[in-house]
């Protein structure tokens, strides 16, 4: 059998290309521009994976907060530590966002309302959003930094 200039066995069959793997990881510069890039890439991946609506909107907001925190954590670090890691994974009904930085600082959720009193730091308010929107979140330390992760429940999973 000959198809489009390719010699094939008579028993050969074309197989559909499998969907994109529902896990991607990136290494980004520790720069504020990485926040927008990560958000846009997550939006693109979620479209490819068939995830939209409120879950996609919440995921973009969570990714923005986590990447912003990682960029802030790198302030004052050496040039060798100038990159952050970002990973997005879809497994079953769970969307997991992970952001790695070199800081050993502990992420802290400020006040339950997220409203800072006059003169207080802005840090910690983004984690109030993470805590409110994510179905779960946490931190894993590995000796050279940490990974802050957040998960969302995908009620109608897309293409896996």
């Amino acid at each position: 059998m000959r198809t489009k200039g390719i010699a094939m066995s008579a028993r050969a069959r074309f197989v559909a290309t499998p969907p994109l793997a529902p896990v991607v990881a990136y290494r980004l510069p520790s720069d504020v521009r990485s926040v927008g890039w990560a958000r846009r890439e997550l939006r693109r991946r979620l479209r490819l994976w068939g995830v939209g609506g409120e879950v996609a909107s919440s995921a973009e907001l969570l990714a923005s907060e986590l990447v912003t925190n990682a960029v802030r954590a790198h302030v004052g670090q050496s040039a060798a530590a100038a990159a952050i890691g970002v990973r997005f994974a879809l497994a079953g009904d769970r969307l997991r966002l992970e952001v790695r930085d070199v800081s050993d600082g502990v992420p802290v959720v400020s006040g339950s309302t997220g409203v800072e009193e006059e003169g207080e730091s802005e840090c910690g308010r983004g984690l109030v959003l993470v805590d409110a929107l994510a179905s779960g979140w946490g931190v894993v330390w590995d000796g050279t930094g940490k990974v802050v992760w957040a998960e969302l429940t995908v009620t109608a999973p897309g293409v896996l």
Side-chain angles (χ1 to χ4, degrees), residues 118-133:
E118 188 175 337
E120 287 189 356
S121 169
E122 291 182 12
C123 295
R125 291 193 289 178
L127 288 177
V128 171
L129 292 172
V130 173
D131 193 50
L133 295 175

Side-chain angles (χ1 to χ4, degrees), residues 58-75:
S58 293
E60 287 181 42
L61 180 57
L62 294 178
S64 293
E65 294 299 334
L66 296 178
V67 174
T68 297
N69 289 349
V71 169
R72 285 182 179 165
H74 278 230
V75 172

